Amino acid sequence: MEKENSKIWVDGRFINWKDANVHILTHAIHYGSSVFEGCRCYKTQKGPAIFRLKSHIDRLYDSAKIYRMEIPYTKKQFCTIIVDTVKINGFKECYIRPVVFRGYGAMGVNPLNNPLVCAIACWEWGAYFGEEATQKGVSVCVSSWRRAAPDTFPSLAKAGGNYLNSQLIKMEALRYGFDEGIALDTQGYVSEASGGNIFIVKSGVIFTPPTSSSILAGITRHTVFILARELGIRIEQHMIPREALYIADEVFFTGTAVEVTPVSSIDNINIKSSIKGSITEKVQAAYLDYVGGNVEDKHNWLTYVE
Ligand code: PMP
């Protein structure tokens, strides 16, 4: 279905895509005051299933709490509305974007006098970097832009404003001909990509930066922790110096949109595995098998829509 024909849920009502508009003086437009999620619904043999919906809702409510937004629905209600939004649109497979933002009201930085708006949109969205990248990997650079220091923008909140930094990283990478950029944290350790977490593989062990390296605590990242352990692969959180990227055996990104995407080169230096390393391959296959419902849902991560 064309996304323009779909319905968007806004504060209790399903409305047509083209009617889901806001006033120019909406607080979030001027001051970045929104929190959001990105979830994926996958086609499975038992019908469409949303992957880790509960974890996404938990993080949405955490992000809202950090910014003192009181969402006027219980988490259970919010989950039900998300399922209904996918159902009403008839998607077999889609990306889902719940967003909560400070709406139209008072102008000025203080957000507390502006009404909160909650909305959920969904649309069909294939591989983030394209199908080929899932096999051959992406070419990336280390960005000259750093992630924000922990006492500036809290990275554990998935807030609209944080993505201004992501946009600078992404635009710089594209301008220099790369697919994506990796940001360091303010201490110079590896943090994450503009829209995903990073993992490196060295001598059979997977490493990823800890939450203290200004990362978003990715739900795919957490999923990879569990799947890697089930595959018998050691996985650890460590602060990662920049040069460890260049000498890694394998590097990959994770995220709801990017799923598990191999990295083939960094700053035009080829990663040893060059295309897709064997551990990346195993983790990616385990991830896609799980989200596609091809294996037993032993962690209760799938929410069936029908
Ligand atoms: N970091 C950033 C900056 C992101 O935008 C995302 C995507 N939401 C992630 C990490 C990965 O998070 P998740 O696996 O929960 O999608």
Side-chain angles (χ1 to χ4, degrees):
M1 180 177 31
E2 287 300 311
K3 63 182 175 203
E4 286 77 9
N5 295 330
S6 68
K7 301 269 186 212
I8 295 180
W9 179 90
V10 185
D11 281 330
R13 291 190 309 135
F14 285 105
I15 58 177
N16 292 330
W17 179 282
K18 68 173 175 39
D19 298 323
N21 304 313
V22 295
H23 193 274
I24 293 295
L25 296 184
T26 293
H27 197 273
I29 294 179
H30 299 260
Y31 306 114
S33 38
S34 67
V35 296
F36 67 99
E37 272 306 318
C39 327
R40 269 192 195 265
C41 175
Y42 287 91
K43 191 160 70 185
T44 78
Q45 278 177 356
K46 288 196 271 170
I50 303 171
F51 186 61
R52 301 203 60 173
L53 177 58
K54 188 177 171 301
S55 305
H56 283 284
I57 291 303
D58 284 343
R59 190 171 65 186
L60 180 71
Y61 278 66
D62 285 349
S63 301
K65 187 170 188 188
I66 290 168
Y67 285 103
R68 296 172 57 195
M69 297 171 170
E70 282 183 30
I71 300 175
Y73 305 96
T74 63
K75 289 184 182 179
K76 199 158 173 258
Q77 285 170 328
F78 217 107
C79 285
T80 304
I81 303 164
I82 288 180
V83 171
D84 288 347
T85 309
V86 175
K87 209 185 288 182
I88 204 170
N89 283 302
F91 287 120
K92 298 277 168 279
E93 210 161 27
C94 63
Y95 181 85
I96 307 160
R97 170 55 56 81
V99 60
V100 175
F101 61 93
R102 306 277 190 187
Y104 170 73
M107 281 310 277
V109 171
N110 176 16
L112 297 174
N113 297 323
N114 292 64
L116 214 55
V117 180
C118 301
I120 301 158
C122 43
W123 62 89
E124 283 165 333
W125 200 2
Y128 187 81
F129 292 109
E131 269 313 320
E132 201 181 299
T134 62
Q135 301 309 318
K136 296 195 171 159
V138 285
S139 127
V140 310
C141 62
V142 173
S143 184
S144 65
W145 295 100
R146 300 276 180 108
R147 271 297 189 217
D151 55 352
T152 58
F153 298 94
S155 68
L156 295 185
K158 191 169 171 64
N162 291 7
Y163 284 81
L164 285 171
N165 175 255
S166 288
Q167 288 172 48
L168 291 170
I169 295 162
K170 186 77 180 182
M171 289 191 291
E172 183 186 58
L174 295 177
R175 194 166 67 244
Y176 293 131
F178 298 100
D179 299 312
E180 175 62 303
I182 298 167
L184 306 180
D185 66 17
T186 48
Q187 290 190 72
Y189 289 97
V190 174
S191 177
E192 61 179 346
S194 74
N197 293 113
I198 186 166
F199 291 74
I200 65 170
V201 179
K202 186 78 179 168
S203 307
V205 181
I206 306 179
F207 298 95
T208 196
T211 49
S212 51
S213 288
S214 295
I215 64 163
L216 178 72
I219 289 159
T220 321
R221 175 182 180 271
H222 180 255
T223 304
V224 165
F225 265 92
I226 293 175
L227 296 181
R229 285 187 184 132
E230 287 174 0
L231 288 166
I233 305 167
R234 220 168 100 199
I235 182 158
E236 293 180 9
Q237 299 185 62
H238 264 292
M239 289 165 90
I240 297 177
R242 176 177 181 164
E243 66 277 19
L245 297 174
Y246 306 122
I247 57 173
D249 298 333
E250 303 176 30
V251 179
F252 61 90
F253 291 142
T254 67
T256 300
V258 308
E259 301 170 303
V260 177
T261 299
V263 172
S264 54
S265 70
I266 301 176
D267 294 336
N268 287 324
I269 300 171
N270 283 343
I271 300 302
K272 193 170 169 195
S273 62
S274 177
I275 300 183
K276 181 164 53 168
S278 60
I279 289 187
T280 307
E281 168 70 41
K282 280 187 196 144
V283 170
Q284 187 188 50
Y287 183 75
L288 293 177
D289 270 345
Y290 205 111
V291 298
N294 301 330
V295 292
E296 185 205 341
D297 181 17
K298 60 178 166 186
H299 301 291
N300 247 320
W301 281 340
L302 302 185
T303 301
Y304 287 94
V305 169
E306 281 158 5

